[in-house]
Amino acid sequence: MAKYETYLRASALLLAPLLMCLFGVTAEGDFFEDIDITWGEHGGVNILGSNSLVLSLDQSSGSGFRSNAEYLYGRIDMQIKLVSGNSAGTVTAYYLSSEGPNHDEIDFEFLGNLSGEPYIVHTNIYTQGIGNREQQFYLWFDPTKYFHTYTIVWNPQRIIFMVDNVPIRVFNNYEARGVPFASSQAMRLYSSLWCADQWATRGGLVKTNWSYAPFKAYYRNFDAKACVWSKGSSSCPSSPPSMTHNTWQAQDLDADGRRSLRWVQKYYMIYNYCKDYKRFPQGRPRECRLSRFS
């Protein structure tokens, strides 16, 4: 038995480089090695271990970090426990973004609220520096009591936002139909905790109560299954081997996923730019007319 276990461990070590070559990065992240503190370095970011991190916000400063690696397609998972209690005016942001004025961006933003009131999950997608594709949701649980997994799947066919593996939003690639898509700019993962009480809670009517500071958001189990972009080349092959729909590089929604998405959109979606006809009097954006999930 001991010899068999040794054989399995050795085989895993031999297979790991091959799998990384075929599919890109598959290892869980290490907060000590894989992130860079972008602000709040004087106590705002507290790395508790390779797999655990805390962001803090007080009246003097927020805090944030970004991945050292840049990705061009991938599946990014993070377990987050959001600011508890009276979190009005605070925003916990978790997103992918490239750099520059014509940047691409894929956003989760968690908008704080008064004690007992639900968080709002604000999502947006920027392509070539233009966003205005907001969808907002309530959650079907209290995101401050326990850790929950928030996922961005980004592949050449689509972007999928997921919460605990439940899809809440899909943005398909309609570049061939004239709709810009995030397909050419490598992006880093960013996360931050900051004060945006001029707009975050009830449109800015409810301000941050600093007597509850410091506000804290907790992170663990950062996992980037992704194609790392470095020096103009990708860690993934240009023509990946055939894969099932369950792998991120070709991930789509199966029948259960489509039912889950419809359930979230029916009961928990509170704003959808595709349904905001007053905002687009000349006609809805083209992707809204093309997608059955809009």
Side-chain angles (χ1 to χ4, degrees), residues 196-272:
D197 64 4
Q198 70 274 21
W199 62 269
T201 306
R202 294 185 59 199
L205 293 176
V206 182
K207 302 299 184 182
T208 301
N209 186 335
W210 292 108
S211 69
Y212 291 94
F215 304 99
K216 294 181 182 291
Y218 300 83
Y219 297 73
R220 70 182 187 188
N221 294 341
F222 167 40
D223 189 7
K225 296 179 176 67
C227 299
V228 173
W229 187 259
S230 179
K231 299 179 180 178
S233 63
S234 171
S235 64
C236 295
S238 57
S239 299
S242 60
M243 295 164 289
T244 70
H245 70 280
N246 289 321
T247 62
W248 69 263
Q249 286 171 306
Q251 187 166 342
D252 197 357
L253 300 186
D254 57 14
D256 287 340
R258 291 191 294 271
R259 281 193 292 270
S260 295
L261 180 64
R262 287 192 292 268
W263 173 75
V264 171
Q265 292 184 338
K266 180 177 181 179
Y267 294 106
Y268 295 98
M269 178 182 278
I270 59 174
Y271 178 78
N272 181 1

Side-chain angles (χ1 to χ4, degrees), residues 20 23-30 34-35 51 67-71 73-78 94 96 150-152 187-189 220-228 235-236 248:
M20 289 185 71
F23 300 111
V25 174
T26 59
E28 289 187 0
D30 184 323
D34 297 335
I35 69 155
N51 204 30
S67 63
N68 290 324
E70 292 183 286
Y71 311 111
Y73 301 125
R75 173 178 171 139
I76 310 297
D77 294 275
M78 185 82 77
Y94 166 64
L96 292 170
Y150 302 93
T151 302
I152 297 170
M187 296 194 269
R188 283 186 167 90
L189 172 70
R220 70 182 187 188
N221 294 341
F222 167 40
D223 189 7
K225 296 179 176 67
C227 299
V228 173
S235 64
C236 295
W248 69 263

Side-chain angles (χ1 to χ4, degrees), residues 90-161:
T90 70
V91 174
T92 305
Y94 166 64
Y95 60 102
L96 292 170
S97 181
S98 61
E99 298 180 353
N102 298 317
H103 73 293
D104 294 336
E105 190 171 321
I106 306 169
D107 285 348
F108 270 109
E109 288 186 312
F110 305 95
L111 311 185
N113 215 328
L114 295 168
S115 298
E117 296 296 321
Y119 262 82
I120 291 175
V121 180
H122 177 95
T123 67
N124 203 353
I125 295 167
Y126 287 76
T127 54
Q128 301 172 16
I130 299 173
N132 300 323
R133 299 184 177 98
E134 303 92 344
Q135 290 184 356
Q136 294 183 335
F137 308 84
Y138 289 139
L139 292 167
W140 49 96
F141 53 82
D142 182 347
T144 71
K145 284 190 174 181
Y146 305 103
F147 284 93
H148 293 271
T149 302
Y150 302 93
T151 302
I152 297 170
V153 175
W154 170 39
N155 61 38
Q157 296 79 37
R158 63 194 54 85
I159 295 164
I160 307 173
F161 295 77

